[in-house]
């Protein structure tokens, strides 16, 4: 889809260029690392090179003598021995949760954990001095494999817990009263010759969010309030958690998230480094700044995904699904993140996806290892679930000899059945899977590609064609608060907004949803411009500062529009209602006779009227306004949804696989997404494109790899492969709309859709290309090396020969040189 500029009067639905881009492109942006109050000291963290070890001594003497050094501190020096980072999601009452310290004291539990901190006049001097701190370690065995970690006699990451199991959470539709017993249904299917049972194990590899701007924190303690600038997605939550963690009165803490250069969930945490910087600033009485290097970011910023999925599906031989059982092992890393324990639980409600599944059981076990902790990453549990269900549906289709798209259609919820209550108890309010799929097939030329696939197989072509399918839905807008409370989530799901009508008729909108690249300022301005009938240019969006925006629950989980946008809408409605009373007074008419349209209040049946700007000025002057009314149009609103929103879509990928080299090429990608009503098609398309890039990257490129000692071996962009524009084709995208019925704008959310849907589409396509050769599965990322090995193993040939690895750093999905001789690749190398 190509969004073009729209000159119609209505802002809602107009493809406007983002108003914030002018500032960003011109270099007038202000990122945290660019903020340096007078007298700022700089921080560098001394980090452990070992994944698991006792600390026997820390010698800071030489570092203290280094040029420019103001001080070197351990956790005890900071008085922070008993301070631990918060975890806001205890998924079970007996969840095991070790204290994550500001700095390690007696032991380290992952490579990169901080053990000391250097404060100096400059960042360079702090970094140089940090290298002079001598730390002696007594190495311990690393814990890297989740199943081994749960075995009897395993090395314990945290011996005081007595186990490496943090928690096990179970949903059973029979116990919940939302469906039958999956255990019984699967047992019955195994004994019934007219049914089939398919079991598969899938792996969700560990990913690094890899946001463009590294994390950074500046703390100035010198004023009446302690001011914290942070590259964070959660300024309001950070303020509250700073109070909870350090005991500073919340009224004395101001958090500012200035321009934030990407997050994708990777900036949703409350960081040890943030608390450390606050402690240092308070101790020294001077501004202190910490900014991580790129290597630090990849090593210690939380990672995403990392699950083992054991999935069992039962169905009648006519294709009707009868039961689904999911067992997860989820790697938490060494500690629990802010919401990390609950990320798999979000996926629990999406494994049933768009299908009518009568019996369902889900079990998640969270496991500690000596790796960097995991937490939310774009989609947070929903991509993992969508991958699992869409992969097992393809496997079921193979087992039954069915066309995979037809099998999906047989089992999905038809558009006439909405609203539909799923086997998980969620109520999908609206959708039309048939419409999205039919359009996607048309744009993809599905039938022609199936014919081409058959012809290539019949000819025995070296390059085979596969068609990957992903039909998905997701739960957007992390809320309602009551639902989150039932899951023991440590916060609500509401969002707050305020609208100020200024005397000059301009509008200030204060929102608790802070942006890190999504286009909030533009989309929210469009909503308000329509609601109040004022020019788009006259609306200013204020966010990310707890002084100007004191209430909010921030940005994650595709909640900005479907929760924050509705709060803004409600506040705008209140402005209009207040203005209507003043208009009726000034126009000497009954309020019931006042009509409002496109910024004008008029008396019904007459041409008497006043613009909303005139009413705003009259309220400001307060010379003549109704008895008993405050002279102000300013309005506040807090919105707590009654339900999630449920965007959906159909994604199709044409994948070409060279059976001699393993080379994979994404030839064509089509997606049709239903995201409800669309505020700005240009922004929506950008969100889809960005999401596709990240989801495709998981399927083909990305994986955080550890060696047998627990060291991250690809912690730079030289080694950790991200796709460039050259690696991806031009996507064919289109948006259809069945408006949400759960909110007044009819919107559903789009920020995570592309990431959620694209990964299984790609992997299903790769497997579809070579399944006839006997290949049953390939772990992600499906690099040329892994594809080639899978083909060789399926053919029963030697696996010693190695193909050209077209996914090595710097190589894309483009052409390769067949005359280039294969290079040797070690058994542990995957990129």
């Amino acid at each position: 889809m190509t969004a073009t500029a729209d000159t119609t009067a209505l802002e809602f639905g107009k493809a406007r260029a983002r108003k914030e881009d002018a500032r960003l492109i011109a270099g007038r942006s202000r990122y945290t690392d660019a903020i340096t109050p007078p007298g700022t000291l700089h921080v560098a963290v001394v980090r452990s090179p070992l994944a698991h070890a006792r600390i026997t001594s820390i010698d800071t003497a030489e570092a203290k003598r280094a040029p420019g050094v103001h001080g070197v501190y351990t956790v005890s020096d900071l008085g922070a021995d008993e301070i631990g980072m918060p975890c806001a999601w205890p998924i079970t009452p007996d969840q095991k949760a070790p204290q994550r310290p500001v700095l390690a004291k007696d032991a380290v539990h992952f490579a990169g954990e901080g053990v000391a901190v250097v404060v100096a006049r400059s960042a360079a001097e702090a970094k140089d001095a940090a290298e002079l701190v001598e730390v002696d370690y007594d190495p311990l065995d690393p814990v890297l494999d989740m199943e081994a970690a749960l075995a009897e006699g395993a090395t314990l990451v945290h011996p005081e817990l007595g186990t490496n199991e943090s928690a096990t959470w179970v949903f059973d539709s029979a116990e919940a009263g939302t469906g039958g017993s999956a255990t019984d249904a699967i047992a019955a299917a195994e004994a019934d010759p007219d049914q089939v049972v398919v079991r598969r194990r899938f792996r969700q590899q560990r990913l690094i969010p890899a946001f463009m701007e590294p994390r950074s924190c500046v703390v100035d303690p010198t004023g009446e309030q302690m001011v914290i600038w942070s590259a964070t997605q959660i300024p309001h939550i950070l303020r509250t958690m700073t109070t909870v963690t350090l005991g500073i009165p919340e009224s004395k803490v101001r958090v500012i998230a200035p321009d934030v250069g990407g997050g994708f969930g990777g900036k949703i945490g409350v960081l040890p480094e943030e608390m450390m910087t606050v402690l240092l600033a308070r101790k020294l009485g001077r501004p202190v700044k910490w900014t991580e290097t790129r290597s630090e970011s990849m090593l210690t910023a939380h990672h995403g995904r990392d699950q083992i999925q054991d999935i069992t599906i039962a169905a009648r031989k006519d294709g009707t699904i009868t039961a689904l059982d999911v067992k997860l092992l989820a790697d938490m890393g060494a500690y629990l993140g802010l919401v990390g324990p609950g990320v798999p639980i979000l996926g629990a409600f999406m494994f049933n996806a768009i299908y009518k599944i009568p019996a369902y059981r889900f079990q998640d076990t969270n496991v500690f290892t000596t790796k960097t902790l995991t937490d939310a990453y774009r989609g947070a549990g929903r991509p993992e679930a969508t991958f699992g269900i869409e992969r097992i549906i393809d496997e079921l289709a193979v087992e039954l000899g069915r066309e995979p798209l037809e099998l999906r259609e047989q089992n999905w919820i038809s558009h006439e059945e909405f609203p539909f209550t799923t086997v998980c108890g969620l109520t999908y309010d609206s959708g039309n899977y048939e419409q999205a799929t039919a359009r996607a097939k048309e744009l993809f030329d599905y039938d022609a590609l199936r014919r081409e696939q058959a012809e290539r197989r019949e000819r025995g072509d070296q390059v085979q064609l596969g068609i990957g399918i992903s039909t998905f839905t997701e739960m957007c807008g992390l809320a309602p608060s009551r639902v989150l409370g039932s899951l023991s989530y440590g916060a609500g799901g509401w969002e707050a907004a305020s609208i100020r009508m200024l005397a000059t008729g301009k509008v200030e909108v204060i929102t608790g949803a802070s942006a890190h690249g999504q286009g909030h300022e533009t989309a929210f301005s469009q909503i308000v411009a329509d609601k109040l009938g004022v020019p788009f240019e006259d609306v200013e969006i204020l966010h990310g500062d707890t002084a100007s925006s004191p209430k909010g629950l921030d940005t994650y989980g595709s909640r900005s529009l479907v929760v924050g946008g509705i709060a803004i809408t409600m506040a705008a409605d209140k402005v209009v209602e207040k203005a209507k009373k003043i208009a009726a007074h000034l126009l000497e008419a009954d309020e019931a006779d006042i009509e409002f349209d496109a910024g004008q209040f008029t008396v019904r049946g007459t041409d008497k009227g006043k613009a909303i700007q005139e009413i705003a000025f009259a309220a400001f002057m307060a010379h003549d306004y109704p008895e008993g009314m405050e002279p102000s149009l300013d309005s506040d609103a807090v919105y707590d949804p009654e339900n999630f929103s449920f965007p959906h879509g159909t994604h199709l990928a044409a994948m070409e696989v060279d059976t001699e080299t393993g080379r994979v090429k994404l030839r064509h990608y089509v997606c049709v997404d239903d995201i409800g009503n669309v505020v700005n098609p240009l922004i929506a398309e950008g969100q889809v494109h960005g999401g596709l890039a990240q989801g495709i990257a998981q399927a083909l490129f990305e994986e955080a790899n550890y060696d047998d000692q627990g060291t991250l071996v690809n912690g730079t962009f030289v080694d950790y492969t991200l796709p460039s524009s050259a690696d991806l084709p031009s996507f064919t995208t289109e948006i259809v709309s069945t408006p949400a019925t759960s909110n007044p704008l009819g919107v559903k959310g789009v920020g995570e859709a592309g990431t959620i849907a694209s990964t299984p589409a790609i992997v299903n396509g790769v497997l579809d290309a070579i399944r006839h050769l006997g290949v049953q599965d390939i772990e992600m990322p499906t690099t040329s090396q892994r594809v080639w090995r899978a083909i060789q193993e399926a053919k029963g040939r030697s696996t010693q020969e190695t193909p050209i690895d077209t996914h090595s750093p710097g190589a894309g999905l483009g052409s390769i040189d067949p005359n280039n001789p294969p290079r040797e690749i070690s058994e542990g190398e995957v990129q």
Side-chain angles (χ1 to χ4, degrees), residues 305 346-355 377-387 389-390 413 418 422 426-431 433 470-479 556-559 562 643-651 673-676 687-688 691 740 742 747-758:
R305 314 288 192 248
L346 291 174
F349 298 96
M350 287 288 100
F351 271 95
N352 54 288
I354 67 173
Y355 305 112
Y377 174 55
R378 196 170 189 169
R382 283 76 54 81
E384 296 93 313
T386 299
F387 181 85
I389 186 64
E390 287 303 285
I413 304 157
F418 288 97
T422 73
L426 295 181
T427 299
Y428 296 175
D429 63 315
S430 68
Y433 310 140
S470 176
T471 52
F472 85 103
T473 190
E474 60 158 324
M475 47 195 281
C476 274
L478 197 59
Y556 41 86
S558 290
R559 66 190 309 274
V562 298
N643 195 5
F644 300 97
S645 66
F646 299 96
H648 69 84
T650 297
H651 289 225
D673 289 296
D674 183 339
I675 59 172
Q687 288 288 307
V688 171
S742 56
V747 295
K748 293 183 177 181
V750 67
E752 297 167 316
T755 302
I756 290 170
S758 58

Side-chain angles (χ1 to χ4, degrees), residues 459-683:
R459 292 193 302 265
D461 287 2
Q462 178 176 321
V463 177
Q464 289 291 307
L465 174 66
I467 295 175
I469 302 166
S470 176
T471 52
F472 85 103
T473 190
E474 60 158 324
M475 47 195 281
C476 274
L478 197 59
S481 296
R482 289 185 182 87
V483 173
L484 297 178
S486 71
L487 296 172
S488 301
Y489 183 72
W494 51 266
E495 192 50 81
S498 299
I499 293 182
R500 302 174 189 152
M501 285 294 300
L502 305 180
T504 55
K506 309 300 183 184
V507 183
E508 288 181 341
V509 180
I510 300 94
T511 173
S514 59
H516 44 278
Q518 297 92 333
H520 287 38
E521 295 175 32
T522 302
F524 289 165
S525 293
Q526 290 180 265
I527 292 171
V528 173
D530 278 351
K531 294 296 290 186
L532 300 183
V534 299
F536 169 81
E537 296 77 12
D538 286 354
V539 182
E540 183 81 12
I541 307 296
L542 305 177
H543 63 87
D545 185 339
T546 62
S548 60
S549 173
K551 291 194 298 185
L553 283 174
D554 306 317
T555 300
Y556 41 86
S558 290
R559 66 190 309 274
S560 293
L561 179 60
V562 298
V563 186
I566 306 305
I568 290 171
T569 299
M570 292 168 59
D573 288 339
K574 290 182 179 181
V575 169
V576 172
E577 287 306 306
K578 286 183 177 182
K580 183 180 288 187
K581 295 180 185 298
I582 298 176
H585 177 78
L586 295 176
L587 294 170
E588 300 179 333
D590 190 280
E591 186 181 338
D593 292 328
I594 298 297
E595 297 178 334
F596 179 71
D597 181 59
Q600 289 288 129
F601 292 94
T602 56
V603 180
R604 184 181 295 111
T606 75
D607 59 359
K608 292 173 59 179
K610 286 187 177 292
I612 193 169
Q613 291 90 340
E614 295 178 273
I615 304 300
F617 187 73
F620 168 75
M621 294 297 291
H623 293 167
D624 186 14
Y625 62 96
E627 193 77 30
M629 183 177 179
E630 295 178 352
S632 171
L633 300 184
D634 297 352
S635 297
D636 302 331
V638 177
Y639 176 62
D640 195 349
E642 295 182 0
N643 195 5
F644 300 97
S645 66
F646 299 96
H648 69 84
T650 297
H651 289 225
L652 302 173
M655 307 299 299
E656 292 186 332
V657 178
D658 190 316
T659 59
E660 294 299 317
T661 67
R663 171 180 175 265
V664 176
K665 178 183 178 182
L666 172 54
R667 170 174 145 185
H668 188 35
Y669 196 98
V670 167
C671 64
V672 176
D673 289 296
D674 183 339
I675 59 172
N677 292 332
V678 180
V679 177
N680 186 318
L682 193 64
I683 291 177

Side-chain angles (χ1 to χ4, degrees), residues 91-92 94-98 143 145-151 154-170 328-334 336 341 363-369:
I91 61 171
T92 64
D94 61 349
Q95 174 176 282
K96 304 291 192 303
V143 180
D145 180 87
M146 284 189 279
E147 290 179 304
L150 296 175
T155 298
L156 298 180
V157 180
H158 301 283
E160 70 276 14
L161 301 180
T163 179
N164 287 323
E165 179 183 329
S166 175
T168 295
W169 188 91
V170 176
L328 297 186
L329 293 180
D331 192 337
M332 296 291 100
L336 298 181
Q363 176 179 305
D364 165 56
T365 298
N366 290 343
V367 184
F368 291 118
T369 63

Side-chain angles (χ1 to χ4, degrees), residues 42-376:
H42 298 262
V43 170
V45 181
V46 179
R47 299 191 181 276
S48 169
L50 302 180
H52 200 198
R54 295 186 187 91
I55 300 172
T56 58
S57 68
I58 302 176
D59 184 351
T60 62
E62 188 176 355
K64 288 178 178 178
R65 293 192 294 267
V69 169
H70 193 87
V72 183
Y73 304 94
T74 64
V75 68
S76 297
D77 296 329
L78 293 176
D81 298 70
E82 303 304 319
I83 294 174
M85 295 301 101
C87 173
W89 204 335
I91 61 171
T92 64
D94 61 349
Q95 174 176 282
K96 304 291 192 303
Q99 177 178 293
R100 185 187 184 191
V102 174
L103 293 167
K105 181 180 180 181
D106 300 316
V108 293
H109 300 93
F110 69 97
E113 186 167 8
V115 297
V117 60
V118 175
V119 181
R121 292 175 305 184
S122 69
E125 287 171 321
K127 183 179 178 181
D128 288 344
E131 296 178 359
L132 301 177
V133 176
E134 295 288 339
V135 185
D136 286 334
Y137 299 96
D138 181 9
L140 300 170
D141 291 336
V143 180
L144 304 173
D145 180 87
M146 284 189 279
E147 290 179 304
L150 296 175
E152 187 175 350
T155 298
L156 298 180
V157 180
H158 301 283
E160 70 276 14
L161 301 180
T163 179
N164 287 323
E165 179 183 329
S166 175
T168 295
W169 188 91
V170 176
F171 176 87
D172 191 310
S173 60
E175 295 178 4
T178 56
S181 168
T183 302
D184 292 347
I186 290 168
E190 289 178 317
D192 186 348
D194 292 324
Q195 296 192 61
V196 297
V197 176
V198 178
R199 290 183 170 85
R200 294 290 185 270
R201 167 170 284 200
F202 304 130
R203 179 66 191 252
Q204 281 278 320
Q205 78 271 37
R206 179 174 281 248
L207 302 177
I208 298 175
F211 32 73
M212 186 175 290
E213 176 206 19
R215 298 173 303 167
S216 182
C217 181
V218 178
V219 180
D220 186 349
T222 59
E224 289 297 315
Q225 286 185 310
M226 179 172 285
V227 182
I228 303 170
W229 291 269
S230 181
T232 182
Q233 297 176 221
I234 53 167
H236 297 89
I237 294 173
L238 177 56
R239 179 183 61 178
T240 301
M241 289 302 181
T242 299
T243 291
V244 171
T245 304
L246 302 182
I248 304 171
E250 192 168 3
S251 62
K252 296 297 183 183
V253 178
R254 177 186 179 188
V255 175
I256 303 171
D259 289 315
V260 176
F264 315 118
K267 293 177 180 173
I268 203 175
V270 176
L271 311 179
E273 293 88 352
E274 288 169 329
M275 298 301 101
M276 170 195 72
T277 306
V278 171
L279 289 169
L280 286 167
R282 188 165 61 172
K283 181 181 183 70
L284 301 174
R286 292 177 58 177
V288 175
K289 178 193 288 188
W290 165 77
T291 300
E292 67 186 355
T293 65
R294 177 59 63 186
S295 294
E296 280 184 297
S297 177
M298 301 186 78
L299 182 65
T300 67
H302 77 246
H303 294 171
R305 314 288 192 248
D306 208 347
Q307 293 181 359
I308 296 172
Q309 304 175 333
D310 288 307
I311 303 180
T312 303
I313 194 167
R316 293 195 288 267
K317 286 191 174 177
D318 69 358
T320 304
I321 298 171
T322 58
L324 179 68
D325 182 271
V326 176
K327 292 184 176 66
L328 297 186
L329 293 180
D331 192 337
M332 296 291 100
Y335 298 103
L336 298 181
L338 188 65
V339 298
V343 167
I345 308 309
L346 291 174
F349 298 96
M350 287 288 100
F351 271 95
N352 54 288
I354 67 173
Y355 305 112
K356 293 180 287 189
I357 299 176
Y360 172 56
R361 188 178 188 278
F362 171 93
Q363 176 179 305
D364 165 56
T365 298
N366 290 343
V367 184
F368 291 118
T369 63
T370 54
K371 299 177 186 176
T372 302
L373 65 85
T374 60
D375 211 314

